[in-house]
């Protein structure tokens, strides 16, 4: 799946949750509120997690 399609789907879900007036306690946001996910695209596939940490820690 195209990552941008996934982002648009999440935004649509967020809008629906707001329109329905869903409380934070039952929203999917509660499960992930302390998580930090970042999409990194366009990087070479042969980079290791250590390589990425070195680049972004600077």
């Amino acid at each position: 799946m195209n990552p941008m399609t996934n982002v648009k789907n999440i935004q649509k879900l967020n809008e629906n949750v707001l329109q329905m007036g869903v409380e934070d306690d039952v929203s999917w946001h509660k499960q992930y509120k302390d998580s930090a996910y970042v999409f990194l695209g366009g990087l070479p596939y042969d980079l290791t997690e250590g390589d990425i940490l070195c680049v972004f820690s600077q």
Side-chain angles (χ1 to χ4, degrees), residues 1 6 9 21 23 45 51:
M1 175 180 273
N6 199 26
N9 288 337
E23 298 291 327
Y45 286 104
D51 295 334

Side-chain angles (χ1 to χ4, degrees), residues 27-47:
S27 171
W28 67 274
H29 292 95
K30 183 175 182 178
Q31 180 180 357
Y32 297 101
K33 70 181 179 76
D34 295 321
S35 300
Y37 291 97
V38 177
F39 172 76
L40 300 174
L43 298 173
Y45 286 104
D46 60 343
L47 288 179

Side-chain angles (χ1 to χ4, degrees), residues 1-52:
M1 175 180 273
N2 180 337
M4 287 309 296
T5 301
N6 199 26
V7 169
K8 289 178 184 176
N9 288 337
I10 291 171
Q11 287 175 335
K12 187 174 180 180
L13 177 62
N14 290 339
E15 289 173 13
N16 290 341
V17 166
L18 283 173
Q19 289 176 358
M20 293 184 334
V22 175
E23 298 291 327
D24 273 348
D25 291 349
V26 294
S27 171
W28 67 274
H29 292 95
K30 183 175 182 178
Q31 180 180 357
Y32 297 101
K33 70 181 179 76
D34 295 321
S35 300
Y37 291 97
V38 177
F39 172 76
L40 300 174
L43 298 173
Y45 286 104
D46 60 343
L47 288 179
T48 66
E49 182 179 355
D51 295 334
I52 294 170

